[in-house]
Amino acid sequence: MKPQFLIGSPTSGCGKTTFMLGMLRVLQRRGMKVQPFKCGPDFIDPQYHAIACNCESVNLDAWLASRTHIQSVYNHYAEPADVCIIEGNRGLYDGYNRMENSSAALSRMLNVPVILVINARAIGYAIAPVLYGMKRFNASIRIVGVVFTQVASQSHEISLREACIDVGIECLGYLPVEEDIRLPQRHQGLTLSVKRSFSKLIDRIADLVEKHVDVEKLLNLCTRIFPCPYTLPYTSEVGIDMLHRPDRRLRIAVARDPAFCFLYRENVDRLAEAGRITYFSPVYGSDLPEADYVYIPGGCPELFVRQLHRRKRLMSQLREYVEAGGRLWAEGEGMTFLSRSLTVRQGGTAYEMAGILPFDCTLVDANPSNGYRLTRCGNNTFKGYESHYSVLALSSDIRISATSLYGLRGTETAARLFRYKNLIAGYAHWYWGENDIFSLWN
């Protein structure tokens, strides 16, 4: 038995992340080992979770992975923890097809209850029918309590508590209006100085949680049997530890720093099973380690474009590695480091990059692009999530292999997966917890 719960909301913007970070820090202060999870493919919130409790967060996404795999991953990472908290995604019941892949569906899949977080800035007792509908909309989703945010006064709090009493749902507390408590911009490089200031902000949020939320009652309400049971029919013949055959002889180099930080925890652990990982930092001027495989993940290199532009030695090493047949995987904005140039603003400098891929990248007139992506390679199906700010400036005479990617409904998208020799790159961030990523080079 251990406390396990998912933090959900009727809509986005209710304060799920703020409350999540406060709870993580409160539990850490109490000496408890807490394992954070994130519903969906998001990379930013998991980084915040790690700052709050000094434990890497794990993504759980029912489109990227099978039900059995998600249950296995949850049990695997939750096993050593005292408390497990999942931060939901969007509205509680929002999925790509009604409830499919929603936070509610994940709570049901893992057999964990839901704590609602509701923004009460412009509502009082009238929240009652909202609570009533959220609780009774689907009997399989167990909403056990609610925490309100943006509560303006004691009388405001009393009205909200009265609504909870009449609906029959536990009011576990609130977070008051604090205009100066704002999370940083989501598109921001988490340097050491930013992490330190952000950690101080989390401390302030935790102080409010300890003062205004009944943490003990919350944990008692959410204590459930662990591990979560596997749902039949069991869809995999192997457990999480047998998905790949370890080969410790492989040398795997992974770029990891404030510019290249969008990594799925499960992906890194699967690489670690196959060989020895060595991290290197393009931002801080590392050399390319000797490697059989190189992985450059996504992130926000545009925020560090001047530093990256100066890394001529590393860019030369990457060019030599690829031209010699080295196997390199680059995804998301990590691909821009391998392009000819990166332009950040209108009229700004086109900063020279590694020049391995024959196109330029720009943020000028670019709109954020995101969505689930799928591709097939032999007998393998790879799934991922595309999220980026830059766009490619492709010439009509480009000579490079490109594979089509498909979206949720199976329709072809504008996104492509490029290949040059043994370099494979694209804007989508791929999840290979259930796939053999090395099969792409077979």
Side-chain angles (χ1 to χ4, degrees), residues 119-127 149-152 156 160:
N119 186 333
R121 176 180 284 274
I123 198 167
Y125 181 79
I127 198 67
T149 62
Q150 299 295 312
V151 176
H156 188 193
L160 297 169

Side-chain angles (χ1 to χ4, degrees), residues 260-275:
F260 304 100
C261 53
F262 290 178
L263 301 102
Y264 290 126
R265 167 74 180 274
E266 184 67 4
N267 283 359
V268 175
D269 285 356
R270 298 288 73 76
L271 293 179
E273 287 182 358

